[in-house]
PDB file of all heavy atoms in Angstrom:
ATOM      1  N   GLN M   3     -10.723  13.476   0.455  1.00  0.00           N
ATOM      2  CA  GLN M   3     -10.752  13.713  -0.976  1.00  0.00           C
ATOM      3  C   GLN M   3      -9.428  13.242  -1.575  1.00  0.00           C
ATOM      4  O   GLN M   3      -8.365  13.470  -0.995  1.00  0.00           O
ATOM      5  CB  GLN M   3     -10.954  15.196  -1.301  1.00  0.00           C
ATOM      6  CG  GLN M   3     -12.302  15.761  -0.881  1.00  0.00           C
ATOM      7  CD  GLN M   3     -12.373  16.069   0.603  1.00  0.00           C
ATOM      8  OE1 GLN M   3     -11.447  16.642   1.177  1.00  0.00           O
ATOM      9  NE2 GLN M   3     -13.468  15.680   1.251  1.00  0.00           N
ATOM     10  N   LEU M   4      -9.521  12.595  -2.711  1.00  0.00           N
ATOM     11  CA  LEU M   4      -8.343  12.100  -3.415  1.00  0.00           C
ATOM     12  C   LEU M   4      -8.307  12.736  -4.799  1.00  0.00           C
ATOM     13  O   LEU M   4      -9.286  12.649  -5.547  1.00  0.00           O
ATOM     14  CB  LEU M   4      -8.392  10.583  -3.543  1.00  0.00           C
ATOM     15  CG  LEU M   4      -8.446   9.791  -2.228  1.00  0.00           C
ATOM     16  CD1 LEU M   4      -8.610   8.308  -2.503  1.00  0.00           C
ATOM     17  CD2 LEU M   4      -7.195  10.044  -1.400  1.00  0.00           C
ATOM     18  N   VAL M   5      -7.194  13.349  -5.120  1.00  0.00           N
ATOM     19  CA  VAL M   5      -7.028  13.994  -6.422  1.00  0.00           C
ATOM     20  C   VAL M   5      -5.901  13.286  -7.158  1.00  0.00           C
ATOM     21  O   VAL M   5      -4.759  13.289  -6.719  1.00  0.00           O
ATOM     22  CB  VAL M   5      -6.712  15.485  -6.268  1.00  0.00           C
ATOM     23  CG1 VAL M   5      -6.477  16.116  -7.638  1.00  0.00           C
ATOM     24  CG2 VAL M   5      -7.850  16.192  -5.534  1.00  0.00           C
ATOM     25  N   GLU M   6      -6.270  12.692  -8.280  1.00  0.00           N
ATOM     26  CA  GLU M   6      -5.314  11.934  -9.095  1.00  0.00           C
ATOM     27  C   GLU M   6      -4.838  12.779 -10.269  1.00  0.00           C
ATOM     28  O   GLU M   6      -5.568  13.633 -10.771  1.00  0.00           O
ATOM     29  CB  GLU M   6      -5.974  10.663  -9.626  1.00  0.00           C
ATOM     30  CG  GLU M   6      -6.495   9.738  -8.551  1.00  0.00           C
ATOM     31  CD  GLU M   6      -7.809   9.086  -8.930  1.00  0.00           C
ATOM     32  OE1 GLU M   6      -8.585   9.704  -9.678  1.00  0.00           O
ATOM     33  OE2 GLU M   6      -8.060   7.954  -8.477  1.00  0.00           O
ATOM     34  N   SER M   7      -3.631  12.513 -10.707  1.00  0.00           N
ATOM     35  CA  SER M   7      -3.110  13.183 -11.889  1.00  0.00           C
ATOM     36  C   SER M   7      -2.059  12.292 -12.542  1.00  0.00           C
ATOM     37  O   SER M   7      -1.540  11.367 -11.911  1.00  0.00           O
ATOM     38  CB  SER M   7      -2.500  14.538 -11.533  1.00  0.00           C
ATOM     39  OG  SER M   7      -1.426  14.383 -10.632  1.00  0.00           O
ATOM     40  N   GLY M   8      -1.778  12.580 -13.814  1.00  0.00           N
ATOM     41  CA  GLY M   8      -0.675  11.903 -14.491  1.00  0.00           C
ATOM     42  C   GLY M   8      -1.055  10.900 -15.539  1.00  0.00           C
ATOM     43  O   GLY M   8      -0.174  10.347 -16.209  1.00  0.00           O
ATOM     44  N   GLY M   9      -2.333  10.634 -15.712  1.00  0.00           N
ATOM     45  CA  GLY M   9      -2.714   9.685 -16.750  1.00  0.00           C
ATOM     46  C   GLY M   9      -2.537  10.282 -18.125  1.00  0.00           C
ATOM     47  O   GLY M   9      -2.193  11.450 -18.288  1.00  0.00           O
ATOM     48  N   GLY M  10      -2.761   9.453 -19.145  1.00  0.00           N
ATOM     49  CA  GLY M  10      -2.650   9.941 -20.507  1.00  0.00           C
ATOM     50  C   GLY M  10      -2.409   8.834 -21.498  1.00  0.00           C
ATOM     51  O   GLY M  10      -2.606   7.658 -21.199  1.00  0.00           O
ATOM     52  N   LEU M  11      -1.982   9.235 -22.678  1.00  0.00           N
ATOM     53  CA  LEU M  11      -1.716   8.311 -23.780  1.00  0.00           C
ATOM     54  C   LEU M  11      -0.209   8.164 -23.949  1.00  0.00           C
ATOM     55  O   LEU M  11       0.516   9.166 -23.993  1.00  0.00           O
ATOM     56  CB  LEU M  11      -2.344   8.845 -25.064  1.00  0.00           C
ATOM     57  CG  LEU M  11      -2.032   8.095 -26.359  1.00  0.00           C
ATOM     58  CD1 LEU M  11      -2.608   6.685 -26.316  1.00  0.00           C
ATOM     59  CD2 LEU M  11      -2.601   8.869 -27.549  1.00  0.00           C
ATOM     60  N   VAL M  12       0.238   6.930 -24.043  1.00  0.00           N
ATOM     61  CA  VAL M  12       1.667   6.669 -24.186  1.00  0.00           C
ATOM     62  C   VAL M  12       1.850   5.458 -25.100  1.00  0.00           C
ATOM     63  O   VAL M  12       0.972   4.583 -25.176  1.00  0.00           O
ATOM     64  CB  VAL M  12       2.319   6.430 -22.804  1.00  0.00           C
ATOM     65  CG1 VAL M  12       1.772   5.179 -22.141  1.00  0.00           C
ATOM     66  CG2 VAL M  12       3.828   6.397 -22.889  1.00  0.00           C
ATOM     67  N   GLN M  13       2.957   5.430 -25.789  1.00  0.00           N
ATOM     68  CA  GLN M  13       3.253   4.281 -26.643  1.00  0.00           C
ATOM     69  C   GLN M  13       3.786   3.115 -25.811  1.00  0.00           C
ATOM     70  O   GLN M  13       4.364   3.311 -24.724  1.00  0.00           O
ATOM     71  CB  GLN M  13       4.286   4.669 -27.696  1.00  0.00           C
ATOM     72  CG  GLN M  13       3.737   5.567 -28.792  1.00  0.00           C
ATOM     73  CD  GLN M  13       4.726   5.751 -29.926  1.00  0.00           C
ATOM     74  OE1 GLN M  13       5.935   5.689 -29.726  1.00  0.00           O
ATOM     75  NE2 GLN M  13       4.215   5.983 -31.125  1.00  0.00           N
ATOM     76  N   ALA M  14       3.598   1.933 -26.325  1.00  0.00           N
ATOM     77  CA  ALA M  14       4.123   0.741 -25.661  1.00  0.00           C
ATOM     78  C   ALA M  14       5.627   0.892 -25.423  1.00  0.00           C
ATOM     79  O   ALA M  14       6.353   1.382 -26.292  1.00  0.00           O
ATOM     80  CB  ALA M  14       3.841  -0.494 -26.493  1.00  0.00           C
ATOM     81  N   GLY M  15       6.040   0.505 -24.238  1.00  0.00           N
ATOM     82  CA  GLY M  15       7.433   0.653 -23.853  1.00  0.00           C
ATOM     83  C   GLY M  15       7.725   1.942 -23.118  1.00  0.00           C
ATOM     84  O   GLY M  15       8.814   2.102 -22.545  1.00  0.00           O
ATOM     85  N   GLY M  16       6.780   2.847 -23.135  1.00  0.00           N
ATOM     86  CA  GLY M  16       6.961   4.143 -22.496  1.00  0.00           C
ATOM     87  C   GLY M  16       6.678   4.110 -21.008  1.00  0.00           C
ATOM     88  O   GLY M  16       6.415   3.049 -20.426  1.00  0.00           O
ATOM     89  N   SER M  17       6.719   5.301 -20.406  1.00  0.00           N
ATOM     90  CA  SER M  17       6.532   5.438 -18.963  1.00  0.00           C
ATOM     91  C   SER M  17       5.539   6.544 -18.648  1.00  0.00           C
ATOM     92  O   SER M  17       5.368   7.488 -19.424  1.00  0.00           O
ATOM     93  CB  SER M  17       7.868   5.772 -18.293  1.00  0.00           C
ATOM     94  OG  SER M  17       8.823   4.769 -18.505  1.00  0.00           O
ATOM     95  N   LEU M  18       4.908   6.392 -17.510  1.00  0.00           N
ATOM     96  CA  LEU M  18       4.027   7.427 -16.966  1.00  0.00           C
ATOM     97  C   LEU M  18       4.161   7.416 -15.459  1.00  0.00           C
ATOM     98  O   LEU M  18       4.471   6.365 -14.878  1.00  0.00           O
ATOM     99  CB  LEU M  18       2.556   7.173 -17.324  1.00  0.00           C
ATOM    100  CG  LEU M  18       2.029   7.563 -18.696  1.00  0.00           C
ATOM    101  CD1 LEU M  18       0.583   7.102 -18.842  1.00  0.00           C
ATOM    102  CD2 LEU M  18       2.157   9.045 -18.953  1.00  0.00           C
ATOM    103  N   ARG M  19       3.898   8.550 -14.838  1.00  0.00           N
ATOM    104  CA  ARG M  19       3.855   8.592 -13.384  1.00  0.00           C
ATOM    105  C   ARG M  19       2.512   9.147 -12.949  1.00  0.00           C
ATOM    106  O   ARG M  19       2.126  10.240 -13.358  1.00  0.00           O
ATOM    107  CB  ARG M  19       4.974   9.451 -12.791  1.00  0.00           C
ATOM    108  CG  ARG M  19       5.089   9.294 -11.280  1.00  0.00           C
ATOM    109  CD  ARG M  19       6.203  10.112 -10.669  1.00  0.00           C
ATOM    110  NE  ARG M  19       5.798  11.498 -10.442  1.00  0.00           N
ATOM    111  CZ  ARG M  19       6.300  12.269  -9.488  1.00  0.00           C
ATOM    112  NH1 ARG M  19       7.236  11.792  -8.673  1.00  0.00           N
ATOM    113  NH2 ARG M  19       5.899  13.504  -9.369  1.00  0.00           N
ATOM    114  N   LEU M  20       1.839   8.383 -12.109  1.00  0.00           N
ATOM    115  CA  LEU M  20       0.571   8.814 -11.531  1.00  0.00           C
ATOM    116  C   LEU M  20       0.819   9.341 -10.123  1.00  0.00           C
ATOM    117  O   LEU M  20       1.673   8.825  -9.397  1.00  0.00           O
ATOM    118  CB  LEU M  20      -0.424   7.661 -11.468  1.00  0.00           C
ATOM    119  CG  LEU M  20      -0.740   6.928 -12.774  1.00  0.00           C
ATOM    120  CD1 LEU M  20      -1.801   5.858 -12.521  1.00  0.00           C
ATOM    121  CD2 LEU M  20      -1.175   7.885 -13.852  1.00  0.00           C
ATOM    122  N   SER M  21       0.045  10.356  -9.765  1.00  0.00           N
ATOM    123  CA  SER M  21       0.102  10.907  -8.413  1.00  0.00           C
ATOM    124  C   SER M  21      -1.299  10.957  -7.838  1.00  0.00           C
ATOM    125  O   SER M  21      -2.274  11.136  -8.573  1.00  0.00           O
ATOM    126  CB  SER M  21       0.686  12.329  -8.423  1.00  0.00           C
ATOM    127  OG  SER M  21       1.983  12.344  -8.950  1.00  0.00           O
ATOM    128  N   CYS M  22      -1.383  10.805  -6.532  1.00  0.00           N
ATOM    129  CA  CYS M  22      -2.668  10.901  -5.847  1.00  0.00           C
ATOM    130  C   CYS M  22      -2.428  11.574  -4.504  1.00  0.00           C
ATOM    131  O   CYS M  22      -1.659  11.071  -3.683  1.00  0.00           O
ATOM    132  CB  CYS M  22      -3.271   9.523  -5.651  1.00  0.00           C
ATOM    133  SG  CYS M  22      -4.783   9.523  -4.650  1.00  0.00           S
ATOM    134  N   ALA M  23      -3.098  12.709  -4.307  1.00  0.00           N
ATOM    135  CA  ALA M  23      -2.954  13.458  -3.073  1.00  0.00           C
ATOM    136  C   ALA M  23      -4.247  13.388  -2.267  1.00  0.00           C
ATOM    137  O   ALA M  23      -5.331  13.603  -2.822  1.00  0.00           O
ATOM    138  CB  ALA M  23      -2.613  14.917  -3.374  1.00  0.00           C
ATOM    139  N   ALA M  24      -4.114  13.084  -1.000  1.00  0.00           N
ATOM    140  CA  ALA M  24      -5.265  12.989  -0.109  1.00  0.00           C
ATOM    141  C   ALA M  24      -5.375  14.255   0.737  1.00  0.00           C
ATOM    142  O   ALA M  24      -4.372  14.826   1.147  1.00  0.00           O
ATOM    143  CB  ALA M  24      -5.121  11.774   0.809  1.00  0.00           C
ATOM    144  N   SER M  25      -6.619  14.650   0.962  1.00  0.00           N
ATOM    145  CA  SER M  25      -6.860  15.810   1.822  1.00  0.00           C
ATOM    146  C   SER M  25      -8.184  15.616   2.555  1.00  0.00           C
ATOM    147  O   SER M  25      -8.969  14.736   2.211  1.00  0.00           O
ATOM    148  CB  SER M  25      -6.889  17.099   0.991  1.00  0.00           C
ATOM    149  OG  SER M  25      -7.951  17.065   0.061  1.00  0.00           O
ATOM    150  N   GLY M  26      -8.427  16.469   3.545  1.00  0.00           N
ATOM    151  CA  GLY M  26      -9.657  16.369   4.319  1.00  0.00           C
ATOM    152  C   GLY M  26      -9.372  16.208   5.788  1.00  0.00           C
ATOM    153  O   GLY M  26      -8.266  16.449   6.258  1.00  0.00           O
ATOM    154  N   SER M  27     -10.371  15.739   6.508  1.00  0.00           N
ATOM    155  CA  SER M  27     -10.257  15.606   7.967  1.00  0.00           C
ATOM    156  C   SER M  27      -9.620  14.274   8.351  1.00  0.00           C
ATOM    157  O   SER M  27     -10.203  13.466   9.061  1.00  0.00           O
ATOM    158  CB  SER M  27     -11.643  15.727   8.598  1.00  0.00           C
ATOM    159  OG  SER M  27     -12.258  16.943   8.245  1.00  0.00           O
ATOM    160  N   ILE M  28      -8.396  14.099   7.903  1.00  0.00           N
ATOM    161  CA  ILE M  28      -7.714  12.817   8.065  1.00  0.00           C
ATOM    162  C   ILE M  28      -7.018  12.752   9.415  1.00  0.00           C
ATOM    163  O   ILE M  28      -6.165  13.576   9.716  1.00  0.00           O
ATOM    164  CB  ILE M  28      -6.689  12.611   6.937  1.00  0.00           C
ATOM    165  CG1 ILE M  28      -7.393  12.616   5.570  1.00  0.00           C
ATOM    166  CG2 ILE M  28      -5.943  11.294   7.151  1.00  0.00           C
ATOM    167  CD1 ILE M  28      -6.449  12.634   4.394  1.00  0.00           C
ATOM    168  N   ALA M  29      -7.398  11.757  10.195  1.00  0.00           N
ATOM    169  CA  ALA M  29      -6.718  11.539  11.466  1.00  0.00           C
ATOM    170  C   ALA M  29      -5.508  10.628  11.279  1.00  0.00           C
ATOM    171  O   ALA M  29      -4.457  10.853  11.854  1.00  0.00           O
ATOM    172  CB  ALA M  29      -7.675  10.941  12.479  1.00  0.00           C
ATOM    173  N   ARG M  30      -5.717   9.612  10.467  1.00  0.00           N
ATOM    174  CA  ARG M  30      -4.626   8.680  10.195  1.00  0.00           C
ATOM    175  C   ARG M  30      -4.826   8.066   8.825  1.00  0.00           C
ATOM    176  O   ARG M  30      -5.917   7.646   8.464  1.00  0.00           O
ATOM    177  CB  ARG M  30      -4.574   7.570  11.254  1.00  0.00           C
ATOM    178  CG  ARG M  30      -3.446   6.572  11.048  1.00  0.00           C
ATOM    179  CD  ARG M  30      -3.345   5.581  12.208  1.00  0.00           C
ATOM    180  NE  ARG M  30      -2.253   4.636  12.015  1.00  0.00           N
ATOM    181  CZ  ARG M  30      -2.386   3.467  11.377  1.00  0.00           C
ATOM    182  NH1 ARG M  30      -3.560   3.110  10.906  1.00  0.00           N
ATOM    183  NH2 ARG M  30      -1.351   2.662  11.234  1.00  0.00           N
ATOM    184  N   LEU M  31      -3.742   8.021   8.056  1.00  0.00           N
ATOM    185  CA  LEU M  31      -3.753   7.438   6.720  1.00  0.00           C
ATOM    186  C   LEU M  31      -2.929   6.162   6.806  1.00  0.00           C
ATOM    187  O   LEU M  31      -1.710   6.209   6.904  1.00  0.00           O
ATOM    188  CB  LEU M  31      -3.132   8.431   5.741  1.00  0.00           C
ATOM    189  CG  LEU M  31      -3.400   8.312   4.247  1.00  0.00           C
ATOM    190  CD1 LEU M  31      -4.877   8.351   3.957  1.00  0.00           C
ATOM    191  CD2 LEU M  31      -2.677   9.419   3.516  1.00  0.00           C
ATOM    192  N   SER M  32      -3.577   5.017   6.799  1.00  0.00           N
ATOM    193  CA  SER M  32      -2.836   3.790   7.028  1.00  0.00           C
ATOM    194  C   SER M  32      -2.282   3.177   5.747  1.00  0.00           C
ATOM    195  O   SER M  32      -1.288   2.441   5.792  1.00  0.00           O
ATOM    196  CB  SER M  32      -3.696   2.768   7.762  1.00  0.00           C
ATOM    197  OG  SER M  32      -4.855   2.472   7.012  1.00  0.00           O
TER     198      SER M  32
END
Side-chain angles (χ1 to χ4, degrees):
Q3 294 79 44
L4 300 175
V5 177
E6 301 142 330
S7 61
L11 173 65
V12 64
Q13 287 189 331
S17 300
L18 279 175
R19 190 179 82 152
L20 304 183
S21 300
C22 174
S25 62
S27 303
I28 300 171
R30 181 174 181 271
L31 200 57
S32 59

